Every structure is written in C-alpha cells, then in structure tokens.
Amino acid sequence: MIKIGIIGGAGYTAGELIRLLINHPEAEIVFINSSSHAGNRVTDVHEGLYGETDLRFTDRLPLDEIDCLFFCTAHGDTRKFIESHNLPEGLRVIDLSMDYRLKAEGNDFVYGLPELNRRATCTALHVANPGCFATCIQLGLLPLAKHLMLNDDIMVNAITGSTGAGVKPGATSHFSWRNNNLSVYKAFEHQHVPEIRQSLKQLQNSFDSSIDFIPYRGDFPRGIFATIVVKNKCSIEELTRIYEEYYAEDSFTFLVDKNIDLKQVVNTNKCLLHLEKHGDKLLIISCIDNLLKGASGQAVHNMNLMFNLEETVGLRLKPSAF
C-alpha cells in the first residue's frame, strides 16, 4: 500500500483527492493536515464522504510515515513549506499548486501532464500537477505541436465552472451573482498561459505565436469547455490520424467524431476532443472536469505512474451524463 499524506485538506481539490484515495485499492491515507480543522472529522467539511471514512484532520506532519505527499495548498504555500522543512529522502511529492510548474534553476519538478511527460513522471521524485485550463487547452494542441503545425496565432475561448475559483466564497462565486450569468476574466493574461507555452515549445521549439486566451466564468459548478481555432491546411482525415496516433496509448484522452458536451466528462478523469475543419481553420473542442482531469484525478494518475501502477487504477469513474 502507498502511504499518503495530504497538506491543505479543506478545499474542493482536496475533497476530490480524498474521495479518490479512500477508494483506491493501492493507497492508504495516513494523515490529512489542516491547522484550521485539526481534530475535526473529514466529513465535517467534505460532507459527501459520509459513510466512507472516519478520518480526522490533524495538525501533525508525520512525514517519515508516508511514501507520497500531496500539496492541495494555495499558490506560494508549497514552496514555503518545502523551503522550511527537511523532507525525507525518497519521499515523492505531487504539488497541485502552480509553484513549480514553470522550469527554473533549482526546480527539479517534472511537469505532470502524462500525455506529454509520461516517461519522466514514472521516474520522478517531484511532480508539478498542471493547471486545469492548461490541461484542457494543451491536450487540444499537443498533436499539432508534435508535427510542427503551430505557426500562427491560437485563438482560445474556454468556460469554467464555479469550483475553479476555490472553496472560499467571493463576489464572483456567490450563487446569486453566478447563476444565470456569464463573464470574462483575465483576458489575454491568465496565469496558465506560460505553462501552455512551455509545453508547446517542448514539442515545437520554434513556437512563438500568440495564445489569445479568453476565459469565462460559467454558471455551473464544475467542468471546462474550450474551443480552440488555429489555421491549418491539412485535411480533416489527416488531422484525425495525427490526433489518434498521438493519443493511441493514453488512457484518458479520446478523440470523438461526434460533437461533444461537458456532461460527458464531468466526474471523470477523461478529456474528450472533437475536430472540425472550416476552410483553412481547424476548430478543436476540448472538455474536462476541472477538479478531476484538471486537478485531483490527474494527481492520482501521476501517483499511479510514479509507483508503477496501472495508470487507470482508482480512476474508472462514471460521468454525470444525465
């Protein structure tokens, strides 16, 4: 059994991670650290887990008792923790924040997008889990980058559910504002664009085009639905072949010949892709669950790879399709 520790256990991603791990046949949660909830039952916060666990939050950090440590912390807090604690040698770390996603001197974290860095993840000690928007958009573009086809500006529109804003209430996540509403935020300046660019350049070093990304706040709880438009002269048949070939060995990313919708992926670790050709423009539709494929599901996928398990273990989930 893989002995697990979780730091930052009260948020949406932590709740989903706990749900996945208590039902994972090869994992055992040793501790869930939360100073603000220490001593309380996990089900006091994550009420959807009633009847599934009697775990309690703790303020202890028995790092020497675990094999893998997950960080479900606010951006900046993982780096502070690692710099102020001596982690046991050989302890594997999976960080769900954005602290180590971008390559920098002294950063030994592997960028944990399995469809891009599977082999490196299998031998990694430290993994940086990708961002939710970044995951959805990159999976729509990686096959093109591999074939050096990204030579013009990329237009992206993507809408995310309210859980993407985190568990702490705010003006733009309040039900009476969000319901039956739609809004743009961080147009052209979203924090996930640099990691998208980094991954595309990993496959296509010459890539220097603009990524014109317009994010939207949706009036639904979870999921990301993205439309991507790029110029491409290849036929739809050739593009279909390229995408199917790229994802042939991947367990969670699928090219679908029919138009897709968000409910097909909500509550799963899947990404669905659909391609359409309109003149010299290629429309790529990509959708994921932001809390699973975009966060906790992908983190468990990375754990499976790091511990040499079959990658779908604990992640065979039914979508909320109706």
Side-chain angles (χ1 to χ4, degrees):
M1 298 291 281
I2 305 167
K3 305 293 186 180
I4 303 294
I6 299 172
I7 296 180
Y12 290 134
T13 56
E16 288 295 81
L17 180 62
I18 295 165
R19 175 173 73 94
L20 294 173
L21 291 174
I22 62 176
N23 290 290
H24 194 291
E26 302 293 337
E28 177 186 347
I29 299 176
V30 174
F31 71 86
I32 304 171
N33 180 276
S34 175
S35 56
S36 59
H37 294 281
N40 295 337
R41 292 184 182 275
V42 168
T43 50
D44 290 343
V45 175
H46 303 298
E47 296 178 351
L49 297 178
Y50 281 131
E52 295 188 43
T53 181
D54 57 1
L55 285 166
R56 291 181 179 270
F57 294 106
T58 180
D59 55 6
R60 295 177 59 245
L61 289 168
L63 299 176
D64 58 344
E65 298 178 14
I66 61 173
D67 305 305
C68 185
L69 181 63
F70 289 87
F71 284 93
C72 297
T73 46
H75 301 312
D77 287 353
T78 302
R79 185 180 296 275
K80 291 176 185 176
F81 184 97
I82 289 177
E83 291 177 350
S84 61
H85 292 76
N86 291 318
L87 300 184
E89 186 176 354
L91 177 64
R92 289 175 172 86
V93 172
I94 300 174
D95 178 27
L96 278 77
S97 81
M98 63 184 296
D99 290 9
Y100 293 98
R101 292 173 187 164
L102 299 180
K103 294 177 182 178
E105 186 176 351
N107 176 8
D108 69 343
F109 278 70
V110 169
Y111 185 71
L113 187 67
E115 293 83 356
L116 177 65
N117 292 322
R118 175 180 277 98
R119 288 186 180 180
T121 299
C122 289
T123 58
L125 192 62
H126 301 148
V127 167
N129 219 57
C132 51
F133 268 131
T135 295
C136 189
I137 295 166
Q138 287 174 88
L139 292 175
L141 292 170
L142 291 179
L144 299 178
K146 182 180 180 181
H147 287 264
L148 310 181
M149 291 182 173
L150 297 176
N151 302 307
D152 290 285
D153 292 350
I154 300 170
M155 299 296 298
V156 183
N157 290 277
I159 185 168
T160 186
S162 58
T163 53
V167 72
K168 187 176 180 180
T172 58
S173 60
H174 193 282
F175 176 80
S176 60
W177 185 89
R178 193 107 180 190
N179 188 47
N180 294 325
N181 203 3
L182 193 66
S183 65
V184 168
Y185 73 109
K186 296 182 180 178
F188 299 95
E189 298 176 353
H190 196 276
Q191 66 271 17
H192 289 181
V193 171
E195 63 184 278
I196 297 170
R197 179 174 295 280
Q198 175 179 265
S199 295
L200 297 180
K201 285 186 70 66
Q202 180 178 328
L203 293 178
Q204 182 178 333
N205 187 54
S206 62
F207 176 72
D208 63 356
S209 303
S210 294
I211 303 172
D212 297 331
F213 175 32
I214 312 297
Y216 295 80
R217 301 181 182 94
D219 66 342
F220 50 90
R222 57 196 294 168
I224 292 176
F225 192 90
T227 57
I228 308 166
V229 178
V230 296
K231 287 186 177 180
N232 191 289
K233 294 182 179 179
C234 290
S235 68
I236 191 66
E237 291 79 14
E238 175 66 8
L239 291 165
T240 297
R241 184 192 65 78
I242 287 171
Y243 274 75
E244 289 179 341
E245 181 181 84
Y246 187 94
Y247 292 116
E249 297 182 4
D250 289 299
S251 300
F252 295 107
T253 300
F254 304 97
L255 185 67
V256 180
D257 58 0
K258 298 179 181 179
N259 210 335
I260 55 178
D261 61 76
L262 197 57
K263 279 192 174 183
Q264 293 170 316
V265 297
V266 170
N267 198 48
T268 78
N269 196 53
K270 296 177 185 177
C271 173
L272 295 187
L273 301 171
H274 174 68
L275 307 179
E276 292 183 7
K277 197 71 192 300
H278 298 271
D280 67 347
K281 293 182 175 65
L282 171 65
L283 169 63
I284 307 152
I285 304 173
S286 176
C287 59
I288 65 169
D289 184 313
N290 59 296
L291 294 180
L292 289 173
K293 182 58 175 167
S296 302
Q298 187 150 241
V300 172
H301 186 179
N302 283 321
M303 180 195 77
N304 287 344
L305 293 174
M306 295 168 80
F307 287 89
N308 197 31
L309 300 177
E310 202 283 315
E311 63 183 356
T312 64
V313 174
L315 292 170
R316 298 183 182 95
L317 305 169
K318 181 185 181 301
S320 301
F322 49 83

